[in-house]
Amino acid sequence: MRRFFAEIRRRNVHRVAVGYLAASWLLVQILETVFPIYDLDEAGIRWVILALLIGFVPALALAWAFEWSPGGLRSQAEIDRDPEARQTAGRAADRVIIGVLAVAVLYFSVDRFLLGPIGHVAGPVTKSIAVLPFDDLTASQDQAYFADGLAEELLNLLARNPALKVAARTSSFSFRGASLPVAEIASRLNVAYLLEGSVRRSGERVRVTAQLIDAADGFHVWSETYDEPFSDIFSIQDRISSQIAGALQVTMLDDRPKPREADPEAYKLFLQARYLGRQGSAESLGQAAALLDQGLAIDPGYAPAWSTLSAVYANLAGQTDVAYDEYYRKARDAALRAVDADPTYEGGYMHLAWIAQWYEGDLEAAVDYTNRVLQMNPTDAAALGNAGVLLIHLGRLDDAIAVQEYSAERSPVDPTAFFNLGLVYKYADRLADAERSFRKVMQLSPDYETVHYQLGLTLLLSRRIDESLELFRDSTGGYYHYTGLALAYHALGRRQESDAALERLVDGWGDTWPSLVVHVHAYRGEIDRAFAWLEKEYEKFGPAGWGEWKYQRLFDNLRDDPRWAAFLERVGVSDAQLARYRLDIAIPRN
């Protein structure tokens, strides 16, 4: 063995090994710097590393057999006959190694101490943009629906371009009226550019101004004003999205997304309805449904209006116990009309997937519809968020976490994105991560009612019972308040107070939300009562939702009972049943 190592030193193989590794490291570091600058796919770096690893052994073999000398590449046998050449080759190899190491040390010093974290901390990608809500400059101040609608339509058009990263609407619109510097808004949204604008309507004419701002220096990259008839609104949208892409040097595809056109009057009613529907009250939802009916009577072929009507009915179903089934049937009919009107529009399929998942309990249909949506628009933030929830139902918790983390990154100030992320963390028993996500929701939206209950459950499961009790006490009454109190008091051994809270829950909301009563009985180990209330839940809502709820830790006391496996089989979410479904989803890189 000594003779072998001595031969390695004599043939300068060790020098080649050190030089090869140093040069390889330096090459990889340079590529990691250059690729993001030119927006190149960083997967190429992995192939370079693989090639370097594969080439290491052949390089050593060549060093064993050959040596570089002043006379060129010569075999070891020739070198052995010329000792002076061997000494010269050794000194040359040392100089090369020292030079490579010096360059490597210099690069490391500049990157580490001068450039700081630029190469190591994720920042906004170059071609990233957020569309802020447009200002209504109309004298009567009654065109907010149109200003919001135009901004949202532009956002949707830009988001369909795979070369752009576009912040989700829920995040960018949260900065409405915020008196923050451009750089601050862009930093919070993690984008490089902002699009802002204004609208002014006068009769049948509309004046639209749009400005694209570079967040790094606050300067306008592009600005344009359009003063045209309202009937030309779709042309205006198309030109703005095209010009923005040009300003960002984004390659425009031949089949680039185009605005879906409609009768101008029907389109105006659609924008008004969508604006009202976002307010969320039963009254505003009813007004939105009436406006959509008017618009669809004028232009029944406008798929986005049917899709929005489906969402309105689904939201109305969540606000009533009496007409729950009726509203969901209407929501399904409207979604089917959207698909009939335009089979290439993903909105109808998205609502059909949601209805199949949460109302009909038909996971096979939900997977089929979701796959269609993702094939049509794989980067849509809402579609990816819904797909992440569906992955939970399918038992693919690791995949669900990856999707929801991406969704939260794309929607950095959207409380719903972080709420869904917190849920999947909780189901995966990553309680510390769940707590951070739920606290982020509370920071973004202090009035987000459901999060107080979920954070309380997370603390309860973490055995921080006093903290959970305090949180449940501070919640503003209602079914989550009494459910939480019943759970926390039981964990503290305060049976009488737990019973009192459970009684209030049953009397007030037992018929409306039987599943919450199941939570309490299951956690308290009252197995027969828990299964009795499970049957009430099934009678009222059918099989929907159990793909997700089967991971609820409060049900742990039920899992060894044969009735639990039988119930999961009946609602179609046993492990064997879920294994049949395939949801094709890939997280976008931009």
Side-chain angles (χ1 to χ4, degrees):
M1 184 61 70
R2 289 182 179 178
R3 292 182 60 188
F4 175 73
F5 284 111
E7 191 67 7
I8 286 177
R9 289 193 296 273
R10 190 181 73 82
R11 294 171 180 254
N12 291 319
V13 175
H14 62 298
R15 289 186 171 99
V16 172
V18 172
Y20 186 98
L21 293 174
S24 297
W25 178 85
L26 180 60
L27 175 62
V28 171
Q29 298 306 309
I30 293 173
L31 292 179
E32 287 184 343
T33 301
V34 171
F35 269 50
I37 292 175
Y38 292 99
D39 220 12
L40 299 175
D41 187 352
E42 294 186 25
I45 299 176
R46 292 195 292 269
W47 290 106
V48 172
I49 294 173
L50 180 61
L52 291 171
L53 290 174
I54 294 173
F56 183 64
V57 173
L60 298 185
L62 288 172
W64 178 274
F66 299 94
E67 187 126 11
W68 190 263
S69 72
L73 189 65
R74 301 167 65 183
S75 68
Q76 288 292 341
E78 293 177 82
I79 291 292
D80 288 342
R81 291 193 294 269
D82 187 356
E84 184 178 347
R86 176 171 299 284
Q87 293 177 2
T88 302
R91 288 193 296 270
D94 287 339
R95 286 195 294 270
V96 170
I97 292 172
I98 292 171
V100 171
L101 290 175
V103 173
V105 170
L106 177 63
Y107 177 89
F108 176 81
S109 300
V110 172
D111 181 66
R112 176 66 176 85
F113 299 107
L114 296 182
L115 299 181
I118 289 178
H120 307 284
V121 177
V125 297
T126 303
K127 296 171 183 177
S128 56
I129 185 172
V131 181
L132 301 180
F134 281 22
D135 294 326
D136 173 20
L137 300 184
T138 306
S140 56
Q141 288 286 290
D142 60 352
Q143 297 296 308
Y145 75 90
F146 175 59
D148 273 16
L150 177 59
E152 183 169 352
E153 292 296 293
L154 288 171
L155 186 154
N156 292 336
L157 278 175
L158 294 169
R160 295 182 69 88
N161 191 319
L164 279 174
K165 174 192 170 185
V166 183
R169 175 197 173 277
T170 46
S171 289
S172 59
F173 274 43
S174 68
F175 289 94
R176 182 194 308 277
S179 56
L180 294 173
V182 166
E184 174 69 14
I185 295 175
S187 175
R188 294 191 188 184
L189 294 174
N190 195 31
V191 296
Y193 295 90
L194 296 176
L195 178 68
E196 62 181 16
S198 63
V199 300
R200 185 194 304 270
R201 282 194 65 183
S202 178
E204 290 305 311
R205 294 194 67 83
V206 59
R207 183 183 180 89
V208 177
T209 299
Q211 303 102 22
L212 181 64
I213 302 172
D214 186 338
D217 53 24
F219 287 107
H220 286 185
V221 177
W222 165 87
S223 179
E224 190 65 73
T225 297
Y226 309 84
D227 192 346
E228 302 179 22
F230 180 78
S231 57
D232 289 342
I233 189 60
F234 302 106
S235 173
I236 295 174
Q237 292 173 12
D238 184 45
R239 280 178 281 162
I240 292 176
S241 64
S242 177
Q243 289 169 319
I244 289 172
L248 296 180
Q249 298 181 344
V250 172
T251 301
M252 299 302 295
L253 306 177
D254 292 337
D255 58 347
R256 65 185 177 87
K258 294 277 192 177
R260 282 181 169 80
E261 298 192 21
D263 176 271
E265 181 62 24
Y267 185 66
K268 182 181 74 173
L269 292 167
F270 161 72
L271 294 180
Q272 288 177 316
R274 189 170 63 182
Y275 182 79
L276 284 169
R278 292 260 164 76
Q279 297 177 19
S281 68
E283 180 182 3
S284 64
L285 289 168
Q287 293 172 346
L291 290 171
L292 288 166
D293 285 338
Q294 293 177 40
L296 288 167
I298 299 170
D299 189 349
Y302 190 50
W306 285 113
S307 178
T308 302
L309 183 60
S310 177
V312 166
Y313 282 136
N315 288 330
L316 281 169
Q319 297 197 20
T320 178
D321 190 36
V322 178
Y324 181 82
D325 292 326
E326 177 187 354
Y327 279 133
Y328 260 118
R329 283 194 296 269
K330 287 183 175 181
R332 189 175 191 277
D333 290 343
L336 288 172
R337 291 292 298 271
V339 170
D340 289 340
D342 186 352
T344 68
Y345 177 61
E346 69 272 11
Y349 296 107
M350 192 183 304
H351 292 299
L352 286 172
W354 186 259
I355 293 165
Q357 181 177 346
W358 289 104
Y359 176 65
E360 299 168 335
D362 186 347
L363 289 180
E364 183 174 5
V367 168
D368 180 56
Y369 289 132
T370 301
N371 279 329
R372 294 193 195 187
V373 172
L374 294 175
Q375 288 169 6
M376 295 176 182
N377 192 358
T379 62
D380 183 81
L384 287 169
N386 291 346
V389 174
L390 182 54
L391 285 169
I392 301 174
H393 285 240
L394 301 179
R396 292 167 53 183
L397 296 184
D398 289 341
D399 292 336
I401 287 172
V403 172
Q404 296 295 8
E405 285 177 339
Y406 172 82
S407 181
E409 177 189 353
R410 196 68 171 265
S411 309
V413 293
D414 178 12
T416 300
F418 284 95
F419 180 78
N420 289 335
L421 178 59
L423 281 181
V424 68
Y425 279 146
K426 182 167 73 75
Y427 293 139
D429 209 25
R430 291 173 53 174
L431 298 180
D433 291 328
E435 180 183 351
R436 281 192 292 271
S437 293
F438 290 139
R439 291 197 183 279
K440 177 70 171 179
V441 175
M442 295 177 70
Q443 174 188 343
L444 293 171
S445 179
D447 297 327
Y448 201 113
E449 179 183 0
T450 313
V451 75
H452 294 82
Y453 179 63
Q454 292 298 339
L455 177 58
L457 289 184
T458 303
L459 297 173
L460 183 73
L461 295 171
S462 302
R463 304 305 301 167
R464 292 157 59 185
I465 302 170
D466 289 332
E467 293 178 65
S468 71
L469 177 60
E470 182 179 357
L471 195 67
F472 291 137
R473 278 175 172 167
D474 291 342
S475 62
T476 56
Y479 40 86
Y480 286 130
H481 171 72
Y482 289 108
T483 304
L485 290 180
L487 295 169
Y489 282 135
H490 171 77
L492 291 169
R494 296 160 62 173
R495 178 70 187 212
Q496 188 173 4
E497 290 161 293
S498 178
D499 285 345
L502 176 59
E503 184 177 356
R504 291 290 302 272
L505 174 65
V506 172
D507 291 344
W509 299 277
D511 292 337
T512 305
W513 304 114
S515 61
L516 293 178
V517 183
V518 182
H519 285 187
V520 179
H521 284 307
Y523 185 70
R524 298 195 334 177
E526 297 156 354
I527 309 302
D528 290 339
R529 290 183 180 180
F531 278 107
W533 279 93
L534 268 181
E535 291 302 321
K536 293 182 181 180
E537 169 72 19
Y538 183 81
E539 290 171 8
K540 183 173 181 62
F541 294 110
W546 281 101
E548 177 178 335
W549 297 333
K550 66 181 286 189
Y551 300 104
Q552 176 61 263
R553 286 273 307 278
L554 297 177
F555 296 152
D556 284 355
N557 289 327
L558 307 182
R559 301 188 194 281
D560 292 334
D561 192 294
R563 289 174 289 183
W564 177 252
F567 181 79
L568 295 182
E569 184 82 20
R570 177 152 53 119
V571 297
V573 296
S574 68
D575 291 343
Q577 290 168 312
L578 294 179
R580 301 194 312 247
Y581 306 125
R582 178 179 176 181
L583 182 60
D584 300 320
I585 183 169
I587 300 175
R589 291 186 59 82
N590 65 346

mmCIF file of all heavy atoms in Angstrom, residues 36-61:
data_model
loop_
_atom_site.group_PDB
_atom_site.id
_atom_site.type_symbol
_atom_site.label_atom_id
_atom_site.label_comp_id
_atom_site.label_asym_id
_atom_site.label_seq_id
_atom_site.Cartn_x
_atom_site.Cartn_y
_atom_site.Cartn_z
ATOM 1 N N PRO A 36 -29.089 32.538 -12.451
ATOM 2 C CA PRO A 36 -30.227 33.409 -12.106
ATOM 3 C C PRO A 36 -30.208 34.743 -12.826
ATOM 4 O O PRO A 36 -31.250 35.310 -13.143
ATOM 5 C CB PRO A 36 -30.086 33.576 -10.580
ATOM 6 C CG PRO A 36 -29.262 32.418 -10.129
ATOM 7 C CD PRO A 36 -28.316 32.146 -11.253
ATOM 8 N N ILE A 37 -28.994 35.276 -13.086
ATOM 9 C CA ILE A 37 -28.902 36.583 -13.742
ATOM 10 C C ILE A 37 -29.540 36.534 -15.123
ATOM 11 O O ILE A 37 -30.252 37.450 -15.546
ATOM 12 C CB ILE A 37 -27.424 37.022 -13.840
ATOM 13 C CG1 ILE A 37 -26.866 37.312 -12.433
ATOM 14 C CG2 ILE A 37 -27.281 38.243 -14.745
ATOM 15 C CD1 ILE A 37 -25.387 37.624 -12.419
ATOM 16 N N TYR A 38 -29.288 35.428 -15.849
ATOM 17 C CA TYR A 38 -29.817 35.290 -17.197
ATOM 18 C C TYR A 38 -31.098 34.460 -17.244
ATOM 19 O O TYR A 38 -31.543 34.019 -18.299
ATOM 20 C CB TYR A 38 -28.756 34.662 -18.104
ATOM 21 C CG TYR A 38 -27.589 35.584 -18.345
ATOM 22 C CD1 TYR A 38 -26.410 35.450 -17.617
ATOM 23 C CD2 TYR A 38 -27.672 36.618 -19.275
ATOM 24 C CE1 TYR A 38 -25.348 36.317 -17.816
ATOM 25 C CE2 TYR A 38 -26.617 37.490 -19.477
ATOM 26 C CZ TYR A 38 -25.456 37.331 -18.753
ATOM 27 O OH TYR A 38 -24.415 38.195 -18.938
ATOM 28 N N ASP A 39 -31.716 34.252 -16.045
ATOM 29 C CA ASP A 39 -33.004 33.582 -15.954
ATOM 30 C C ASP A 39 -32.951 32.178 -16.554
ATOM 31 O O ASP A 39 -33.910 31.706 -17.175
ATOM 32 C CB ASP A 39 -34.101 34.397 -16.653
ATOM 33 C CG ASP A 39 -35.402 34.369 -15.881
ATOM 34 O OD1 ASP A 39 -35.400 33.930 -14.724
ATOM 35 O OD2 ASP A 39 -36.412 34.766 -16.448
ATOM 36 N N LEU A 40 -31.799 31.489 -16.397
ATOM 37 C CA LEU A 40 -31.638 30.136 -16.912
ATOM 38 C C LEU A 40 -32.121 29.125 -15.886
ATOM 39 O O LEU A 40 -32.110 29.372 -14.676
ATOM 40 C CB LEU A 40 -30.165 29.874 -17.241
ATOM 41 C CG LEU A 40 -29.545 30.793 -18.310
ATOM 42 C CD1 LEU A 40 -28.062 30.498 -18.450
ATOM 43 C CD2 LEU A 40 -30.259 30.628 -19.641
ATOM 44 N N ASP A 41 -32.552 27.967 -16.382
ATOM 45 C CA ASP A 41 -33.056 26.910 -15.511
ATOM 46 C C ASP A 41 -31.907 26.360 -14.671
ATOM 47 O O ASP A 41 -30.943 25.799 -15.198
ATOM 48 C CB ASP A 41 -33.673 25.798 -16.366
ATOM 49 C CG ASP A 41 -34.375 24.749 -15.511
ATOM 50 O OD1 ASP A 41 -34.271 24.793 -14.268
ATOM 51 O OD2 ASP A 41 -35.037 23.883 -16.090
ATOM 52 N N GLU A 42 -32.029 26.500 -13.347
ATOM 53 C CA GLU A 42 -30.941 26.070 -12.476
ATOM 54 C C GLU A 42 -30.812 24.560 -12.384
ATOM 55 O O GLU A 42 -29.858 24.039 -11.800
ATOM 56 C CB GLU A 42 -31.118 26.675 -11.087
ATOM 57 C CG GLU A 42 -30.969 28.184 -11.082
ATOM 58 C CD GLU A 42 -31.010 28.759 -9.686
ATOM 59 O OE1 GLU A 42 -30.690 28.041 -8.739
ATOM 60 O OE2 GLU A 42 -31.357 29.930 -9.560
ATOM 61 N N ALA A 43 -31.751 23.815 -12.981
ATOM 62 C CA ALA A 43 -31.600 22.360 -13.039
ATOM 63 C C ALA A 43 -30.359 21.983 -13.838
ATOM 64 O O ALA A 43 -29.763 20.917 -13.633
ATOM 65 C CB ALA A 43 -32.837 21.736 -13.667
ATOM 66 N N GLY A 44 -29.929 22.867 -14.767
ATOM 67 C CA GLY A 44 -28.722 22.600 -15.545
ATOM 68 C C GLY A 44 -27.488 22.477 -14.683
ATOM 69 O O GLY A 44 -26.532 21.757 -15.033
ATOM 70 N N ILE A 45 -27.447 23.165 -13.534
ATOM 71 C CA ILE A 45 -26.292 23.089 -12.646
ATOM 72 C C ILE A 45 -26.150 21.677 -12.099
ATOM 73 O O ILE A 45 -25.035 21.161 -11.938
ATOM 74 C CB ILE A 45 -26.427 24.110 -11.502
ATOM 75 C CG1 ILE A 45 -26.477 25.534 -12.075
ATOM 76 C CG2 ILE A 45 -25.282 23.984 -10.516
ATOM 77 C CD1 ILE A 45 -26.712 26.606 -11.030
ATOM 78 N N ARG A 46 -27.287 21.031 -11.805
ATOM 79 C CA ARG A 46 -27.221 19.662 -11.279
ATOM 80 C C ARG A 46 -26.579 18.716 -12.296
ATOM 81 O O ARG A 46 -25.839 17.806 -11.942
ATOM 82 C CB ARG A 46 -28.621 19.189 -10.899
ATOM 83 C CG ARG A 46 -29.205 19.939 -9.702
ATOM 84 C CD ARG A 46 -30.404 19.223 -9.137
ATOM 85 N NE ARG A 46 -31.531 19.247 -10.048
ATOM 86 C CZ ARG A 46 -32.465 20.190 -10.037
ATOM 87 N NH1 ARG A 46 -32.384 21.184 -9.165
ATOM 88 N NH2 ARG A 46 -33.488 20.148 -10.868
ATOM 89 N N TRP A 47 -26.869 18.945 -13.587
ATOM 90 C CA TRP A 47 -26.264 18.103 -14.621
ATOM 91 C C TRP A 47 -24.767 18.355 -14.713
ATOM 92 O O TRP A 47 -23.970 17.418 -14.960
ATOM 93 C CB TRP A 47 -26.939 18.369 -15.969
ATOM 94 C CG TRP A 47 -28.346 17.863 -16.032
ATOM 95 C CD1 TRP A 47 -29.484 18.592 -15.997
ATOM 96 C CD2 TRP A 47 -28.746 16.494 -16.107
ATOM 97 N NE1 TRP A 47 -30.603 17.775 -16.066
ATOM 98 C CE2 TRP A 47 -30.171 16.479 -16.138
ATOM 99 C CE3 TRP A 47 -28.061 15.286 -16.172
ATOM 100 C CZ2 TRP A 47 -30.896 15.298 -16.212
ATOM 101 C CZ3 TRP A 47 -28.802 14.108 -16.249
ATOM 102 C CH2 TRP A 47 -30.197 14.118 -16.269
ATOM 103 N N VAL A 48 -24.342 19.612 -14.536
ATOM 104 C CA VAL A 48 -22.912 19.917 -14.551
ATOM 105 C C VAL A 48 -22.205 19.205 -13.394
ATOM 106 O O VAL A 48 -21.127 18.609 -13.570
ATOM 107 C CB VAL A 48 -22.687 21.438 -14.467
ATOM 108 C CG1 VAL A 48 -21.194 21.749 -14.289
ATOM 109 C CG2 VAL A 48 -23.224 22.127 -15.709
ATOM 110 N N ILE A 49 -22.822 19.248 -12.198
ATOM 111 C CA ILE A 49 -22.227 18.581 -11.030
ATOM 112 C C ILE A 49 -22.111 17.080 -11.285
ATOM 113 O O ILE A 49 -21.087 16.453 -10.974
ATOM 114 C CB ILE A 49 -23.065 18.857 -9.770
ATOM 115 C CG1 ILE A 49 -23.005 20.347 -9.411
ATOM 116 C CG2 ILE A 49 -22.594 18.014 -8.602
ATOM 117 C CD1 ILE A 49 -23.933 20.751 -8.280
ATOM 118 N N LEU A 50 -23.181 16.513 -11.866
ATOM 119 C CA LEU A 50 -23.148 15.075 -12.152
ATOM 120 C C LEU A 50 -22.021 14.744 -13.137
ATOM 121 O O LEU A 50 -21.283 13.753 -12.969
ATOM 122 C CB LEU A 50 -24.499 14.634 -12.719
ATOM 123 C CG LEU A 50 -24.632 13.136 -13.081
ATOM 124 C CD1 LEU A 50 -24.427 12.270 -11.840
ATOM 125 C CD2 LEU A 50 -25.994 12.859 -13.700
ATOM 126 N N ALA A 51 -21.882 15.577 -14.173
ATOM 127 C CA ALA A 51 -20.822 15.346 -15.164
ATOM 128 C C ALA A 51 -19.441 15.453 -14.525
ATOM 129 O O ALA A 51 -18.527 14.654 -14.824
ATOM 130 C CB ALA A 51 -20.962 16.337 -16.311
ATOM 131 N N LEU A 52 -19.261 16.406 -13.622
ATOM 132 C CA LEU A 52 -17.975 16.559 -12.941
ATOM 133 C C LEU A 52 -17.667 15.359 -12.050
ATOM 134 O O LEU A 52 -16.513 14.900 -11.977
ATOM 135 C CB LEU A 52 -17.973 17.848 -12.119
ATOM 136 C CG LEU A 52 -17.985 19.160 -12.931
ATOM 137 C CD1 LEU A 52 -18.214 20.351 -12.000
ATOM 138 C CD2 LEU A 52 -16.676 19.329 -13.711
ATOM 139 N N LEU A 53 -18.685 14.856 -11.370
ATOM 140 C CA LEU A 53 -18.478 13.671 -10.533
ATOM 141 C C LEU A 53 -18.096 12.466 -11.376
ATOM 142 O O LEU A 53 -17.191 11.692 -11.025
ATOM 143 C CB LEU A 53 -19.746 13.379 -9.727
ATOM 144 C CG LEU A 53 -20.089 14.377 -8.610
ATOM 145 C CD1 LEU A 53 -21.447 14.052 -8.005
ATOM 146 C CD2 LEU A 53 -19.015 14.339 -7.526
ATOM 147 N N ILE A 54 -18.798 12.294 -12.494
ATOM 148 C CA ILE A 54 -18.484 11.169 -13.377
ATOM 149 C C ILE A 54 -17.077 11.300 -13.948
ATOM 150 O O ILE A 54 -16.357 10.315 -14.119
ATOM 151 C CB ILE A 54 -19.528 11.076 -14.515
ATOM 152 C CG1 ILE A 54 -20.916 10.727 -13.935
ATOM 153 C CG2 ILE A 54 -19.117 10.055 -15.570
ATOM 154 C CD1 ILE A 54 -22.026 10.783 -14.946
ATOM 155 N N GLY A 55 -16.657 12.537 -14.252
ATOM 156 C CA GLY A 55 -15.351 12.756 -14.862
ATOM 157 C C GLY A 55 -14.179 12.661 -13.911
ATOM 158 O O GLY A 55 -13.018 12.634 -14.355
ATOM 159 N N PHE A 56 -14.431 12.600 -12.590
ATOM 160 C CA PHE A 56 -13.342 12.612 -11.612
ATOM 161 C C PHE A 56 -12.442 11.383 -11.761
ATOM 162 O O PHE A 56 -11.207 11.487 -11.831
ATOM 163 C CB PHE A 56 -13.921 12.696 -10.201
ATOM 164 C CG PHE A 56 -12.878 12.782 -9.124
ATOM 165 C CD1 PHE A 56 -12.006 13.867 -9.026
ATOM 166 C CD2 PHE A 56 -12.742 11.767 -8.186
ATOM 167 C CE1 PHE A 56 -11.052 13.952 -8.036
ATOM 168 C CE2 PHE A 56 -11.791 11.837 -7.182
ATOM 169 C CZ PHE A 56 -10.938 12.928 -7.110
ATOM 170 N N VAL A 57 -13.048 10.198 -11.827
ATOM 171 C CA VAL A 57 -12.263 8.966 -11.914
ATOM 172 C C VAL A 57 -11.471 8.892 -13.227
ATOM 173 O O VAL A 57 -10.271 8.588 -13.212
ATOM 174 C CB VAL A 57 -13.171 7.731 -11.733
ATOM 175 C CG1 VAL A 57 -12.391 6.443 -12.001
ATOM 176 C CG2 VAL A 57 -13.746 7.703 -10.321
ATOM 177 N N PRO A 58 -12.106 9.186 -14.397
ATOM 178 C CA PRO A 58 -11.304 9.195 -15.634
ATOM 179 C C PRO A 58 -10.151 10.197 -15.589
ATOM 180 O O PRO A 58 -9.073 9.928 -16.147
ATOM 181 C CB PRO A 58 -12.333 9.581 -16.707
ATOM 182 C CG PRO A 58 -13.635 9.113 -16.160
ATOM 183 C CD PRO A 58 -13.537 9.329 -14.691
ATOM 184 N N ALA A 59 -10.356 11.341 -14.931
ATOM 185 C CA ALA A 59 -9.279 12.324 -14.827
ATOM 186 C C ALA A 59 -8.098 11.758 -14.044
ATOM 187 O O ALA A 59 -6.928 11.954 -14.411
ATOM 188 C CB ALA A 59 -9.800 13.603 -14.163
ATOM 189 N N LEU A 60 -8.373 11.033 -12.965
ATOM 190 C CA LEU A 60 -7.300 10.415 -12.190
ATOM 191 C C LEU A 60 -6.604 9.315 -12.986
ATOM 192 O O LEU A 60 -5.375 9.145 -12.907
ATOM 193 C CB LEU A 60 -7.851 9.845 -10.880
ATOM 194 C CG LEU A 60 -8.474 10.861 -9.904
ATOM 195 C CD1 LEU A 60 -8.869 10.166 -8.609
ATOM 196 C CD2 LEU A 60 -7.512 12.008 -9.614
ATOM 197 N N ALA A 61 -7.404 8.567 -13.762
ATOM 198 C CA ALA A 61 -6.807 7.510 -14.585
ATOM 199 C C ALA A 61 -5.869 8.090 -15.629
ATOM 200 O O ALA A 61 -4.771 7.555 -15.881
ATOM 201 C CB ALA A 61 -7.916 6.692 -15.251
#
